[in-house]
Amino acid sequence: MGSASLSFLKQNNIIHLKILMILFLSCIPDRTNLCSNNSFATLTVPPRFNSTNISLSSLETLTLDGYFSFENNHHAAKDFGNLYHFLPSAVLHPKSVSDISTTIRHIFKMGSASELTVAARGHAHSIQGQAQAHQGIVINMESLQGLKMQVHTGDMPYVDVSGGELWINILHETLKHGLAPKSWTDYLHLTVGGTLSNAGISGQAFQHGPQINNVYQLEVVTGKGEVVTCSEKQNADLFYAVLGGLGQFGIITRARISLGPAPKMVKWIRVLYSEFSTFSKDQEHLISSENSFDYVEGFVNINRTGLLNNWRSSFSPKDPLQANEFTSDGRTLYSLEMVKYFNPDETKTMNQQDIKKLLSQLNYIPSTLFLSEVSYVEFLDRVHVSEKKLRAKGLWEVPHPWLNLLVPKSRISVFAEEIFGNILTHTSNGPIIIYPVNQSKWNNKTSLVTPDEDIFYLVAFLSSAVPSSTGTDGLEHILIQNKRILDFCATAQLGMKQYLPHYNTRNRTMTLWQFLLLDKESSRRQYALHETLMLAPQMATRYVYGQKNSRLRQLSYTSLALNNKGKYKAMGQWKLCWNSGKKLTSAKRRSHYELDVRHQPH
């Protein structure tokens, strides 16, 4: 870099940091603070009144299509996780992308005197306060009305949608044209910007990759307030950085989503296994077969009473008599869930033969085969049905200390033996989802970090805590349990990566998984910081290697948060070596490094 560029960065780094600070801090279970006393109760932090008030008053002078609310913003201090409650100083209700751009540009120009932080809030399904901004500004993305959905048909159909649009609405709109997105999440009442900032994974990912692999174009508001359109061919560095980037590189305000033909019906199948090795072998077989199911997921059932009886509300047993004789009490069982799409006007016999052939290749417990036929919409929106039941019972707005992991195939048996055999033995406090995906279907140019194997498993512990409980269903017990799982993964060196992670950076060591040295393939990009710049806890300028150029190229859209409040620290013999403007070297390659941070979070 030239001296002029460095000078510019030094003058503006703190400004950039504060604009998107919350967006980075948001995602990731704290591995060092899971058992602190503060973790056992939800944390509520009121706003302080200081120089921030001066910054807030200047916001009232902005010309917007929408508006700011400065009072009664307690709803913006809540999210699905219900673990943290950070009260913002203001909430922006944008009616156009210009509102977001104007606001961020204004804060950027305030300079270091402003203490405002910004968080984009979609449907607030975050777990660790990702959608909150302590004393800062929350942007209510769902109020963004600047772009109506536009479905484009043709050889490569797509839909243009707002970053604040819900996936369930996209489903209903695209179905009018006989089309639908190809990759989903299990829960559709989430915003486009929210899932694309993470990954968006469900049982279709083994065929189509995550949602971030099914995007043609994005519109992003950067940390400077610039509105930038990006794609694989236009501003590609920003495009790939934003996808799976945890909100570090800007706010997604529009997305062009790839579509495919939509089925009308699905054949929904569930079976049970008593042995994990057989269960995982069958899952891996299905995701590797050319003519397979359209959706494959799995679940771990720990000491579930009357499991098959619960299935009967939606499924019918293939052999009712044998199903009646099966008992699940006191056992750990593994259920495989499969779906085959079809249309009623297709030859039903052919569809049934395909399913029969696929099932004949599996080694499940024969008496546990359950089947159902439902509409495509009913299947995709299945979790919302459960949500409505839980809301009616007052059980939805409880703490959700979820833990999501990506585990390499080569280590999944070791993981399962310890976690399901020793750590989780009596109850799971919620669903445990586990299924493999193909690395070959995932674009390794995005910011999402995955294990370095061809096949890896998503393992999601979707726990719900009973408020005020001190037993095994209480928050304290679940957090300790989560820590035991993480500690085992670290000790056993499983090569696990966290999905939807969260870092608490207050005087602690933070694992910087987003700055990796990866060498699985020569085409895989490498990430690093410039030798003269230190990463602040929230954000950093990202440099990438070009495929045709070994020199570092700056992702200039985000020049964020560079200061000297952090220091890189080698872990044992692993040492990061800098060679400015040339290819990075390391004493040995490693998937993460540590940053010793001295920063007060939020």
Side-chain angles (χ1 to χ4, degrees):
M1 291 180 58
S3 60
S5 178
L6 280 175
S7 176
F8 177 80
L9 287 174
K10 291 178 180 179
Q11 292 173 6
N12 294 283
N13 52 26
I14 298 177
I15 302 171
H16 291 193
L17 158 66
K18 292 181 177 179
I19 293 175
L20 289 180
M21 149 175 150
I22 290 297
L23 299 180
F24 172 73
L25 283 174
S26 41
C27 296
I28 329 185
D30 174 15
R31 297 187 55 177
T32 60
N33 197 36
L34 281 171
C35 290
S36 69
N37 293 333
N38 291 336
S39 295
F40 298 152
T42 58
L43 176 63
T44 301
V45 181
R48 297 193 303 267
F49 295 93
N50 47 28
S51 59
T52 300
N53 292 344
I54 301 176
S55 300
L56 289 175
S57 62
S58 67
L59 296 177
E60 299 178 3
T61 65
L62 299 180
T63 301
L64 304 173
D65 299 315
Y67 64 94
F68 280 102
S69 61
F70 297 96
E71 298 179 353
N72 301 318
N73 290 325
H74 289 83
H75 68 281
K78 296 176 61 178
D79 63 10
F80 177 73
N82 207 22
L83 300 174
Y84 300 96
H85 302 286
F86 296 105
L87 192 63
S89 296
V91 175
L92 172 63
H93 302 271
K95 297 300 181 185
S96 65
V97 174
S98 176
D99 286 353
I100 300 174
S101 174
T102 298
T103 299
I104 292 182
R105 187 185 306 114
H106 177 75
I107 299 173
F108 170 74
K109 291 181 178 179
M110 286 181 184
S112 58
S114 170
E115 297 183 1
L116 291 178
T117 59
V118 175
R121 175 188 177 92
H123 206 56
H125 203 71
S126 56
I127 305 301
Q128 303 266 1
Q130 290 94 324
Q132 302 172 32
H134 181 215
Q135 303 179 73
I137 298 173
V138 168
I139 300 177
N140 178 17
M141 297 299 294
E142 288 188 305
S143 71
L144 186 62
Q145 299 176 353
L147 177 69
K148 293 182 179 180
M149 274 188 278
Q150 297 180 0
V151 179
H152 298 259
T153 59
D155 293 337
M156 297 180 64
Y158 62 86
V159 58
D160 281 326
V161 298
S162 163
E165 192 63 75
L166 298 181
W167 285 99
I168 184 64
N169 296 336
I170 297 173
L171 172 62
H172 289 305
E173 183 63 27
T174 55
L175 283 177
K176 297 176 183 178
H177 303 265
L179 301 168
K182 292 173 283 189
S183 189
W184 297 96
T185 55
D186 289 331
Y187 180 62
L188 302 190
H189 295 252
L190 304 172
T191 61
V192 169
T195 65
L196 295 185
S197 294
N198 291 281
I201 308 173
S202 188
Q204 303 89 357
F206 78 94
Q207 282 191 336
H208 303 290
Q211 289 180 324
I212 58 175
N213 278 31
N214 293 272
V215 181
Y216 290 143
Q217 188 182 84
L218 295 173
E219 178 185 78
V220 176
V221 177
T222 71
K224 296 180 182 179
E226 299 170 339
V227 181
V228 180
T229 299
C230 53
S231 66
E232 289 183 345
K233 297 181 179 180
Q234 180 183 9
N235 300 316
D237 284 344
L238 180 62
F239 179 70
Y240 290 122
V242 168
L243 293 173
L246 303 178
Q248 295 178 78
F249 303 101
I251 297 174
I252 298 173
T253 53
R254 183 178 63 83
R256 179 166 292 177
I257 309 297
S258 171
L259 301 177
K264 295 180 180 178
M265 300 290 293
V266 306
K267 193 76 171 183
W268 195 355
I269 304 168
R270 284 180 180 173
V271 294
L272 283 178
Y273 294 78
S274 58
E275 298 295 331
F276 181 82
S277 58
T278 308
F279 166 71
S280 59
K281 182 179 180 181
D282 278 359
Q283 281 191 313
E284 292 166 13
H285 167 73
L286 288 176
I287 71 164
S288 302
S289 302
E290 289 187 8
N291 182 25
S292 185
F293 290 99
D294 298 295
Y295 160 101
V296 175
E297 285 196 10
F299 301 85
V300 182
N301 306 281
I302 300 176
N303 195 21
R304 290 283 300 277
T305 301
L307 177 61
L308 294 189
N309 287 334
N310 295 334
W311 286 6
R312 290 178 188 271
S313 61
S314 303
F315 294 80
S316 298
K318 180 70 173 179
D319 189 328
L321 183 60
Q322 289 189 22
N324 288 336
E325 297 175 353
F326 181 85
T327 60
S328 60
D329 299 8
R331 304 168 64 184
T332 295
L333 298 168
Y334 308 94
S335 60
L336 179 57
E337 185 172 75
M338 302 154 285
V339 161
K340 192 70 173 177
Y341 300 157
F342 72 97
N343 292 311
D345 54 351
E346 294 177 345
T347 304
K348 194 169 185 178
T349 302
M350 183 179 297
N351 184 268
Q352 290 176 342
Q353 289 176 347
D354 289 342
I355 293 174
K356 185 177 180 180
K357 181 179 179 180
L358 287 169
L359 291 176
S360 69
Q361 301 168 7
L362 307 180
N363 297 289
Y364 55 88
I365 302 172
S367 61
T368 65
L369 175 58
F370 277 63
L371 306 98
S372 178
E373 285 187 10
V374 298
S375 71
Y376 182 57
V377 173
E378 184 178 348
F379 168 70
L380 290 180
D381 202 26
R382 62 197 179 280
V383 176
H384 187 50
V385 176
S386 300
E387 175 192 353
K388 290 188 288 187
K389 293 179 180 178
L390 291 172
R391 285 189 182 277
K393 297 178 181 180
L395 299 176
W396 184 256
E397 295 185 359
V398 299
H400 296 99
W402 287 8
L403 180 62
N404 298 270
L405 310 176
L406 302 176
V407 182
K409 169 190 170 182
S410 65
R411 308 292 282 166
I412 193 64
S413 295
V414 176
F415 175 89
E417 182 179 0
E418 175 65 20
I419 305 307
F420 307 134
N422 295 323
I423 296 180
L424 301 177
T425 55
H426 302 294
T427 180
S428 59
N429 293 307
I432 301 176
I433 301 176
I434 180 169
Y435 57 89
V437 293
N438 291 314
Q439 179 81 267
S440 61
K441 302 294 184 178
W442 296 50
N443 191 328
N444 59 18
K445 295 180 181 179
T446 69
S447 290
L448 179 67
V449 177
T450 60
D452 196 16
E453 289 191 8
D454 292 338
I455 294 176
F456 58 88
Y457 280 74
L458 170 68
V459 188
F461 302 89
L462 310 183
S463 304
S464 297
V466 176
S468 302
S469 173
T470 57
T472 57
D473 57 358
L475 182 60
E476 176 178 353
H477 174 82
I478 297 173
L479 290 174
I480 291 175
Q481 196 168 256
N482 286 351
K483 186 177 186 301
R484 288 184 64 192
I485 294 172
L486 291 172
D487 287 347
F488 169 74
C489 291
T491 302
Q493 298 182 343
L494 299 185
M496 174 273 296
K497 307 296 182 185
Q498 288 194 48
Y499 176 59
L500 305 177
H502 172 77
Y503 288 123
N504 183 332
T505 63
R506 178 168 46 198
N507 296 323
R508 302 188 186 278
T509 299
M510 179 170 60
T511 302
L512 294 174
W513 58 262
Q514 63 272 48
F515 296 102
L516 304 178
L517 296 179
L518 299 171
D519 67 334
K520 177 183 176 183
E521 299 175 358
S522 60
S523 62
R524 186 184 287 269
R525 301 190 314 171
Q526 297 180 322
Y527 300 83
L529 297 177
H530 192 275
E531 61 178 336
T532 61
L533 302 174
M534 290 296 178
L535 177 66
Q538 298 84 9
M539 188 70 65
T541 298
R542 174 169 126 164
Y543 293 83
V544 297
Y545 287 118
Q547 305 248 346
K548 299 179 181 180
N549 192 331
S550 63
R551 295 184 65 83
L552 294 173
R553 293 186 292 118
Q554 179 187 358
L555 180 57
S556 59
Y557 301 104
T558 55
S559 308
L560 299 174
L562 301 163
N563 61 27
N564 293 316
K565 292 186 179 179
K567 292 182 179 179
Y568 265 106
K569 179 175 66 175
M571 298 177 61
Q573 63 177 326
W574 307 99
K575 181 181 178 183
L576 188 62
C577 305
W578 299 110
N579 192 349
S580 179
K582 300 180 181 179
K583 188 173 181 179
L584 281 178
T585 60
S586 58
K588 288 186 179 180
R589 290 181 175 87
R590 185 173 176 85
S591 62
H592 63 274
Y593 295 87
E594 289 187 344
L595 178 66
D596 186 15
V597 178
R598 288 168 178 77
H599 164 72
Q600 297 300 314
H602 305 288

